[in-house]
Amino acid sequence: MLSHRRPHARLAVALAAAGILAGGCGGSSSPFSGSFHAPAGFVAYHGNGYMLAIPAQFSAKAGTVSDQPPGSTVVEVTRGGTPAAKAQSEILLLENPHLNFSLDQVVDNLSRADRTNTSVSNPQISAAKTTVPGARDARIVTESYVAPDSPSDPTPTRFDRKWLMVLVKPGLLLDVMVANAPKLGGHIDADAVIDSFRLQQ
């Protein structure tokens, strides 16, 4: 599964990223300004105070991630509601109302977890500051790594993840994470999802 590196999921091998985020390209031409627009083949998803585009064949359901603080919510978006552990692509939406770090610290925590996880090889991560109207701060993070396909299949597999981290107000973090395993058929357009994000003000 492509998610946030849960122990028994395809994209779950590298770290409990959601737990790390919990505990711990922008500028004036921000793609996050203007009216909401769902690209062709996408539909609008209404979250708690935000909107974004998800592929039309995908559906959302409540999920879980270990180590989330009380009051956090997790939404998993997969094709037809496929269990995340069997998905080749996934959108993960996390809301953490108790963030104790700056976004730069969150990115540093994610990078450190990638570098120190022995089940992951060739980790690459980059981050850029961006502007989301109505938010205090935001980052776009691009990440890739090679890890076993799953606990039952040790085949080395490349996983790609792109995050939009939005500090809505002090202590409130919204994460949009798009994960793909390209060689397994994962091909969500991460930019289409992330660039469509709008806070509802």
Side-chain angles (χ1 to χ4, degrees):
M1 147 191 174
L2 304 152
S3 311
H4 25 78
R5 323 238 250 246
R6 288 177 287 204
H8 299 294
R10 277 199 166 145
L11 289 189
V13 205
L15 75 128
I20 285 172
L21 298 179
C25 20
S28 59
S29 60
S30 168
F32 307 107
S33 59
S35 59
F36 175 83
H37 173 69
F42 288 73
V43 296
Y45 173 82
H46 296 262
N48 181 22
Y50 65 91
M51 294 177 63
L52 79 163
I54 64 172
Q57 309 86 353
F58 281 51
S59 59
K61 63 182 179 182
T64 58
V65 175
S66 62
D67 301 324
Q68 286 288 286
S72 297
T73 59
V74 179
V75 176
E76 294 175 350
V77 183
T78 58
R79 181 181 292 274
T82 300
K86 298 180 179 179
Q88 287 77 43
S89 293
E90 179 186 21
I91 301 168
L92 186 68
L93 310 171
L94 302 104
E95 180 177 340
N96 173 9
H98 303 294
L99 182 72
N100 296 318
F101 299 130
S102 71
L103 291 189
D104 287 334
Q105 289 172 311
V106 170
V107 174
D108 286 346
N109 289 346
L110 178 62
S111 179
R112 186 179 312 111
D114 278 356
R115 293 192 312 268
T116 59
N117 191 313
T118 57
S119 65
V120 169
S121 62
N122 196 29
Q124 298 180 30
I125 187 167
S126 62
K129 186 175 177 66
T130 191
T131 301
V132 174
R136 290 293 187 97
D137 202 2
R139 297 289 184 277
I140 293 177
V141 178
T142 303
E143 177 193 19
S144 67
Y145 55 90
V146 174
D149 175 53
S150 69
S152 60
D153 182 355
T155 304
T157 303
R158 192 185 97 234
F159 298 103
D160 298 327
R161 305 196 307 174
K162 191 164 188 176
W163 308 69
L164 172 63
M165 300 177 179
V166 182
L167 185 65
V168 179
K169 60 183 181 180
L172 177 57
L173 175 67
L174 289 177
D175 275 318
V176 177
M177 188 272 289
V178 181
N180 288 301
K183 291 187 177 180
L184 300 178
H187 58 270
I188 296 175
D189 184 340
D191 290 332
V193 174
I194 287 174
D195 290 355
S196 72
F197 181 89
R198 300 289 186 277
L199 284 174
Q200 295 174 312
Q201 303 176 39

